[in-house]
Amino acid sequence: MIDSDFGPDPMALLCREVLRERTPALIAEACAWAVGLSDHPHFQRVRGRVVPSGSTLGARAANGQPLGGEEDGRLELGDARPGSFQDALNALGADGVLHAERFDRELVEPFVLDTCVQAAERSRATRTAEWAELLDELGEDGADLVEVVRVGEWEAPLRIDAEHLVLAAIGAVPLVEVEAEGLPLSLVRAAEAVTRAAAPVPAPTGAAADELAGALFLAEAAVRGSGLTLPVPLAQADRLLDVLLAEGLLPEEVPALLSQLPVEPVTAAEVRATLAALGG
């Protein structure tokens, strides 16, 4: 994060301001993310192995039983009310990873990145001189706001703020109530995902169309057969790039293909930034 010699980083403060404005949306998205969590099997660690307890998170929550375990849980999520959303976050998944880790990857990280990008857009539009000075400081041209955010390192502290906001609002609320609150938005998000995934992919145009046609065919087949969520979310950007390169695509071909694939715009921007950093 860029530090000012005369006080707090203005851009960091603006990111926090935008996050506060978006807090209702953050809470709504968190509730929507939680929908279906109570149907997940409950797992516990027995002699170093993750095994099912024979119950679901929802059933245990209804009986007032704790969902998270002391051995694997996060300290900051400890002392959760049994059956609460916070307690569910501290529970293990089948892969031995806490649901809190999934929550961070799938919701908090993309939301915070989008918040920082919105803050950057606001700064560019309303603080022209400061924006130009910031870009000069970062060594960026400002064409890729996601990359500007990455270089500025405003995300990490904002993720902590976002997590605190969610826990303060719904952490102690029973999981079943959080799911009920999030159900309408969850249905909207599911419908949006289906619509985007079913939309026809426009064919590439221009002088390079013929050269890219074969690469596009390989890329489409690789993505749809990869098991990635479609459209591919930001949390799976690295896996997406690995899938494309493993299919034999050249790094220089990938950026031109991203707009033709079922990929979220912020995911495409992240892949392009990664390739740029690698010299691709």
Side-chain angles (χ1 to χ4, degrees), residues 11 15 20 32-33 38 57 60 71 75 78 98 109 140 160 171 176 204-205 207 224 233 241 245-246 249-250 268:
M11 186 62 189
C15 288
R20 286 196 298 272
W33 178 90
S38 62
L57 295 183
R60 287 180 66 91
E71 181 179 347
L75 290 177
L98 294 179
E109 291 178 11
E140 293 289 321
I160 297 174
V176 64
T205 59
R224 296 191 183 280
L241 181 57
L245 296 180
L249 296 172
L250 299 176

Side-chain angles (χ1 to χ4, degrees), residues 68-78 89-92 98:
E70 295 182 3
E71 181 179 347
D72 298 281
R74 285 185 181 178
L75 290 177
E76 67 271 21
L77 295 176
L89 289 179
N90 225 16
L92 285 172
L98 294 179

Side-chain angles (χ1 to χ4, degrees), residues 78 90 113 132 161 237:
N90 225 16
L113 177 58
D161 291 346

Side-chain angles (χ1 to χ4, degrees), residues 25-268:
L26 171 63
I27 304 307
E29 294 290 355
C31 292
W33 178 90
V35 172
L37 198 54
S38 62
D39 294 329
H40 284 228
H42 176 264
F43 291 89
Q44 55 193 359
R45 194 174 296 278
V46 178
R47 292 188 290 277
R49 295 177 59 241
V50 176
V51 297
S53 68
S55 184
T56 63
L57 295 183
R60 287 180 66 91
N63 292 328
Q65 297 173 282
L67 308 179
E70 295 182 3
E71 181 179 347
D72 298 281
R74 285 185 181 178
L75 290 177
E76 67 271 21
L77 295 176
D79 298 325
R81 178 181 300 174
S84 65
F85 176 65
Q86 180 172 325
D87 192 22
L89 289 179
N90 225 16
L92 285 172
D95 54 2
V97 175
L98 294 179
H99 288 295
E101 301 295 333
R102 267 200 323 117
F103 180 68
D104 288 344
R105 289 196 311 269
E106 297 174 6
L107 189 135
V108 175
E109 291 178 11
F111 191 93
V112 165
L113 177 58
D114 185 52
T115 297
C116 290
V117 169
Q118 289 190 29
E121 291 172 342
R122 183 179 302 183
S123 179
R124 181 177 60 185
T126 63
R127 307 176 181 181
T128 308
E130 291 86 347
W131 178 250
E133 183 179 346
L134 175 64
L135 292 180
D136 183 63
E137 235 182 300
L138 296 175
E140 293 289 321
D141 60 11
D144 186 344
L145 292 183
V146 172
E147 180 62 14
V148 171
V149 169
R150 294 290 196 219
V151 174
E153 299 179 349
W154 298 297
E155 294 172 274
L158 208 65
R159 287 176 198 154
I160 297 174
D161 291 346
E163 290 168 0
H164 288 170
L165 287 171
V166 170
L167 292 179
I170 61 174
V173 177
L175 175 60
V176 64
E177 293 183 18
V178 173
E179 290 179 296
E181 183 67 26
L183 184 57
L185 181 57
S186 175
L187 294 175
V188 171
R189 292 288 178 261
E192 290 174 347
V194 170
T195 300
R196 287 194 299 263
V201 178
T205 59
D210 292 338
E211 296 180 11
L212 287 177
L216 178 60
F217 175 81
L218 291 175
E220 289 178 331
V223 171
R224 296 191 183 280
S226 65
L228 293 168
T229 302
L230 300 181
V232 183
L234 176 63
Q236 297 180 354
D238 290 342
R239 286 180 55 197
L240 169 65
L241 181 57
D242 289 342
V243 165
L244 294 176
L245 296 180
E247 192 66 22
L249 296 172
L250 299 176
E252 57 267 27
E253 292 176 326
V254 172
L257 297 174
L258 290 170
S259 62
Q260 315 299 324
L261 298 173
V263 174
E264 294 280 6
V266 69
T267 308

